Amino acid sequence: KQIFFLIFSLFIFISTALAQTSETFDVATFKPPSGWKKQPTANAVQYVTEDAKTGASCIIMLTKAIPGLGDSKVNFDAAWETMVKEMVTVSTAPEMQPAEDRDGWETLSGFAPFELNGSKGVVILVTASGDNKMVNVLIFTNTNVYEKNIADFLASVSLKKPSDSVS
């Protein structure tokens, strides 16, 4: 009976995951985390979850494309200064991950510990640069419980291919 129940549960889980529809915001298409609260604004869309019992929480914010300031490193550094440092106190420089090319967008990501009103956690910034624009994904979490949700969200994001520039 337990094996049948496990197989049935797995089937339901996979069906639900595959049935989850994609959403589009500005130049990005993605699959939002299932069951998270959506909070859209004119310049960003965020998804929030919190476990009242444990205090575990996570916010994923995807911004609208804005004019880039230079290459991917310049864009990342500018977003770190104007978004991350204006929202939370970070104790170290971001630990950077290798750059990736995703359909003509060069993505840079980094993370660092943060503190806000006595709460501690990790902030992750992913900046995609292409076609003289940048798109940012900003993630705040105080636990590793949402690691899979974060990874699935980031893997699902696709950006409209930058237009070919005519010189």
Side-chain angles (χ1 to χ4, degrees):
K1 285 184 178 181
Q2 286 182 336
I3 291 174
F4 175 75
F5 178 73
L6 287 173
I7 292 171
F8 180 74
S9 297
L10 183 62
F11 174 75
I12 296 298
F13 174 76
I14 291 171
S15 298
T16 304
L18 293 176
Q20 187 179 5
T21 58
S22 293
E23 291 190 19
T24 300
F25 177 76
D26 192 38
V27 299
T29 301
F30 56 91
K31 289 185 179 176
S34 183
W36 291 32
K37 183 178 178 188
K38 181 179 181 179
Q39 299 175 332
T41 67
N43 297 316
V45 61
Q46 50 181 48
Y47 293 89
V48 180
T49 190
E50 184 174 18
D51 184 330
K53 290 178 189 172
T54 65
S57 64
C58 187
I59 299 169
I60 299 175
M61 180 173 62
L62 171 69
T63 68
K64 202 175 199 179
I66 59 173
L69 302 173
D71 65 22
S72 59
K73 180 67 171 134
V74 169
N75 289 342
F76 178 90
D77 290 344
W80 189 266
E81 289 295 320
T82 60
M83 293 176 66
V84 174
K85 285 187 168 182
E86 288 184 9
M87 293 182 179
V88 295
T89 302
V90 289
S91 55
T92 64
E95 185 174 319
M96 301 299 296
Q97 302 301 304
E100 289 182 47
D101 186 283
R102 292 178 69 175
D103 292 326
W105 291 84
E106 184 173 51
T107 61
L108 273 181
S109 60
F111 64 92
F114 78 84
E115 187 170 335
L116 178 64
N117 301 328
S119 296
K120 294 182 179 190
V122 173
V123 58
I124 303 163
L125 174 65
V126 180
T127 301
S129 301
D131 203 23
N132 297 316
K133 297 177 186 159
M134 69 171 151
V135 174
N136 294 291
V137 177
L138 194 53
I139 302 162
F140 299 95
T141 187
N142 62 359
T143 179
N144 62 0
V145 169
Y146 302 111
E147 199 172 299
K148 182 170 176 9
N149 301 95
I150 293 167
D152 289 350
F153 176 83
L154 291 174
S156 79
V157 175
S158 65
L159 302 172
K160 289 183 183 172
K161 197 167 188 134
S163 60
D164 294 330
S165 304
V166 178
S167 354

